[in-house]
Amino acid sequence: MMTLVKKAHVFFCFVLLSVFASQCFSQSSVSSADLNAVKQRQYLEVINQLYYFIQQNYVEEVDPQKLYEGALNGMLGALDDPYSVYMAQSEWRSLTDTTVGNFGGVGLSITKAPVSTEEKPAYVEVAEPIENTPGAKAGIQSGDLIIAINGVDTSKITMDEVLGMLRGTVGESVTVRIRRRKTVEFERTLVRAVIENPSVKYGMIEGEDIGYIRLSEFSVNTSAKVQEAIDSFKKTKSLKGIIIDLRNNGGGLLTSAVEIADKFIDEGVIVSTKSRLPYENAVYHAVKSRTTVRGIPVVVLINRASASASEILSGAFKDTKTAYLVGEKTFGKGSVQIPRALVNNDGFKITVAKYYSPSDVNIDKIGIRPDLEVLYPEFTEEEQKAWHSLEESGIISDYVESHPDMTEEAVSEYAKKIKRTYNLEERLIRKMIRNELDRTRSSRLYDLDYDSQLNAAIRVITGGNFSTLMKSVKTLKEQQEQ
């Protein structure tokens, strides 16, 4: 059976044909701009005609919001551009929180299962408390369940509703009921504060004198945090290099990527944008006086989920031969979107330009190939079954719950024991155990035991031939011309 939106779309097409068949006029007597203006008015009239006809005549009463959302989704979907999209209020709020970099909340990163059952209620789980926020100061831990917010059972409400209750006016309070380790329950009243989105984490790699910066997104605060990391690294007199981790970074603000690139690139073009709109055409240049990192090796980690602003930064580094890229080919998103709010607090994003690297290459649907490719092995069918079976068994989570203070030696010993039953690489099993441990304590910044791409980046810096490697780096234009 056709959905309401599909029915509306078919009827809409029929009305359009009927109306415009009877309203043809000579195109020779008006300019193209005038013709488009006339068409726009006619289309709006037809849309209004169809909307009111459905409201008054459809066999069942229709929620106006369904028609409104269907129309906006259809209009933006007609552009055949996956990045030009309508965003309902919750999506719009999440986007603005990300790009602005802060919001009023309690400082808890959370997850929630999409389906709730009587046997397994979909309570909200705390993935990680953000440092120095109300949630962290109240002693809420990773792995805790939020079973109620202001007395409302969280298993019976959506994630959007959860976010709507936890976020809000700074200074106002919200009460959460916490369940820890299945049996302990307690309440905490949290006063909402301005929460900074932690887009940057950094630290020194132990025993290597290498600074490590992990960027999860590009927001208004990201550049300042990167500078904070650089200043911290400079206190190490024997600093050998810096690794910037852009893996799984889906992007964010173009200006943030430009500001970060400017800290490493002495001069020249960082990125340019090209559009049919004159005011969207721009060229961003590096300024020598803003460069804060010189004379040390820089390696950038990328993978298939590095996109948009991540690719702007990676492409700028590659084309200017400022950094060496390690990992996998990036996603390939070479367009620029602007977000706009609607009067009802919904919003949308629309593509307004394409961006080009310093060598004048657009990587849309192509991606950026690393200078050194390091891939994780794909599971065999047998390994996939073993991994799924191990995940479903719950033995790791049960074991970690009763042994929350496992040492690395204990992790290794338990992994050996699991391998006797599940035919998986021990390194992967150790990673699964650590992931479970991280649910109940602060997650580690990096995992040298498992992360082969990070280890490869370290070897690039410590191998003693970084200058020679950089001479072999090809620009994006040179790569595409091969």
Side-chain angles (χ1 to χ4, degrees):
M1 182 177 289
M2 295 177 69
T3 64
L4 176 59
V5 173
K6 286 183 178 178
K7 287 179 179 178
H9 177 70
V10 172
F11 184 68
F12 178 53
C13 293
F14 173 75
V15 173
L16 280 179
L17 291 172
S18 301
V19 170
F20 285 101
S22 63
Q23 294 183 352
C24 292
F25 49 85
S26 174
Q27 297 184 11
S28 60
S29 61
V30 293
S31 69
S32 176
D34 290 338
L35 179 59
N36 282 334
V38 171
K39 284 183 176 180
Q40 287 171 13
R41 288 195 297 271
Q42 288 177 333
Y43 283 134
L44 287 173
E45 289 173 5
V46 172
I47 289 171
N48 283 330
Q49 179 184 357
L50 173 60
Y51 174 82
Y52 287 113
F53 190 91
I54 292 173
Q55 286 289 352
Q56 295 167 9
N57 296 280
Y58 186 67
V59 63
E60 297 173 358
E61 188 174 349
V62 182
D63 181 355
Q65 184 176 349
K66 279 190 175 182
L67 295 179
Y68 156 76
E69 291 182 351
L72 266 62
N73 278 317
M75 195 180 302
L76 288 162
L79 299 175
D80 197 24
D81 173 12
Y83 309 116
S84 295
V85 292
Y86 157 71
M87 308 179 80
Q89 286 186 23
S90 58
E91 294 175 283
W92 177 250
R93 180 177 56 200
S94 179
L95 173 70
T96 52
D97 286 348
T98 297
T99 54
V100 170
N102 58 68
F103 52 92
V106 297
L108 299 173
S109 296
I110 58 175
T111 62
K112 189 179 193 299
V115 178
S116 183
T117 63
E118 191 173 333
E119 297 76 24
K120 196 172 183 180
Y123 292 123
V124 173
E125 182 173 347
V126 177
E128 186 177 13
I130 301 170
E131 288 184 30
N132 299 317
T133 62
K137 291 175 181 178
I140 297 174
Q141 301 175 4
S142 299
D144 284 349
L145 297 179
I146 303 175
I147 61 174
I149 304 172
N150 289 337
V152 177
D153 185 339
T154 61
S155 70
K156 297 179 179 178
I157 58 178
T158 66
M159 185 62 148
D160 286 343
E161 291 171 314
V162 168
L163 292 174
M165 297 178 76
L166 292 179
R167 296 177 181 177
T169 304
V170 172
E172 293 185 353
S173 62
V174 58
T175 299
V176 295
R177 185 163 188 81
I178 302 297
R179 178 179 295 167
R180 181 173 296 167
R181 297 186 183 177
K182 297 181 182 178
T183 56
V184 179
E185 290 190 11
F186 56 92
E187 286 193 347
R188 291 287 185 269
T189 298
L190 311 174
V191 178
R192 295 189 187 96
V194 174
I195 306 300
E196 183 179 338
N197 212 338
S199 60
V200 181
K201 293 188 177 182
Y202 64 90
M204 296 298 295
I205 295 180
E206 189 176 352
E208 296 291 351
D209 289 333
I210 295 173
Y212 173 78
I213 308 174
R214 187 170 74 227
L215 306 184
S216 58
E217 62 196 11
F218 292 84
S219 70
V220 292
N221 302 317
T222 305
S223 176
K225 283 293 185 181
V226 168
Q227 187 59 54
E228 182 182 296
I230 292 168
D231 293 340
S232 171
F233 299 156
K234 285 183 175 179
K235 295 175 183 177
T236 302
K237 293 181 180 179
S238 56
L239 183 65
K240 295 175 184 175
I242 294 175
I243 296 172
I244 302 174
D245 193 343
L246 299 178
R247 292 174 297 179
N248 303 315
N249 182 325
L253 299 177
L254 178 149
T255 51
S256 178
V258 169
E259 289 170 4
I260 294 168
D262 209 359
K263 298 179 188 301
F264 296 84
I265 299 171
D266 262 339
E267 56 188 355
V269 173
I270 292 174
V271 67
S272 60
T273 58
K274 301 180 184 181
S275 171
R276 71 181 179 95
L277 307 173
Y279 57 85
E280 289 295 342
N281 292 312
V283 181
Y284 299 86
H285 290 89
V287 178
K288 199 167 188 176
S289 61
R290 292 198 288 253
T291 305
T292 59
V293 177
R294 290 189 181 94
I296 60 171
V298 178
V299 175
V300 176
L301 287 168
I302 54 176
N303 68 2
R304 66 190 72 179
S306 303
S308 193
S310 292
E311 293 171 299
I312 289 174
L313 184 57
S314 301
F317 279 146
K318 186 168 180 56
D319 276 357
T320 59
K321 301 195 175 185
T322 302
Y324 196 77
L325 274 53
V326 173
E328 308 166 42
K329 187 173 78 169
T330 61
F331 180 81
K333 179 180 179 291
S335 56
V336 179
Q337 288 72 42
I338 57 170
R340 286 291 183 268
L342 295 167
V343 293
N344 61 345
N345 295 322
D346 288 1
F348 64 94
K349 291 189 303 180
I350 191 166
T351 299
V352 294
K354 291 185 177 181
Y355 71 77
Y356 291 76
S357 74
S359 64
D360 202 33
V361 166
N362 177 260
I363 52 83
D364 199 53
K365 299 181 177 68
I366 298 171
I368 297 173
R369 282 183 284 158
D371 302 306
L372 174 63
E373 186 177 57
V374 180
L375 304 176
Y376 286 99
E378 298 287 340
F379 275 176
T380 64
E381 187 175 342
E382 182 183 351
E383 287 171 332
Q384 181 67 36
K385 289 179 180 178
W387 177 83
H388 184 73
S389 178
L390 178 55
E391 281 282 339
E392 288 290 305
S393 71
I395 62 172
I396 291 179
S397 58
D398 290 343
Y399 189 84
V400 168
E401 184 174 345
S402 57
H403 301 80
D405 300 317
M406 293 177 72
T407 63
E408 274 300 308
E409 184 180 358
V411 168
S412 182
E413 287 301 314
Y414 186 51
K416 286 183 171 66
K417 181 178 179 181
I418 291 176
K419 184 171 174 58
R420 295 174 197 149
T421 305
Y422 297 91
N423 186 26
L424 290 168
E425 188 181 354
E426 279 187 40
R427 184 182 63 145
L428 174 61
I429 299 173
R430 291 195 296 270
K431 174 67 172 172
M432 294 171 74
I433 298 169
R434 290 192 198 96
N435 286 348
E436 196 62 39
L437 284 166
D438 288 346
R439 288 158 63 90
T440 57
R441 61 192 185 193
S442 296
S443 59
R444 65 202 72 226
L445 182 61
Y446 54 82
D447 186 347
L448 291 181
D449 177 45
Y450 177 78
D451 196 341
S452 56
Q453 292 175 340
L454 178 56
N455 278 293
I458 292 171
R459 287 194 295 272
V460 167
I461 291 176
T462 59
N465 62 338
F466 189 79
S467 296
T468 304
L469 286 173
M470 290 306 298
K471 289 176 183 176
S472 69
V473 168
K474 289 182 169 58
T475 66
L476 292 173
K477 193 174 193 69
E478 289 170 338
Q479 276 191 342
Q480 289 193 8
E481 288 176 347
Q482 282 182 330

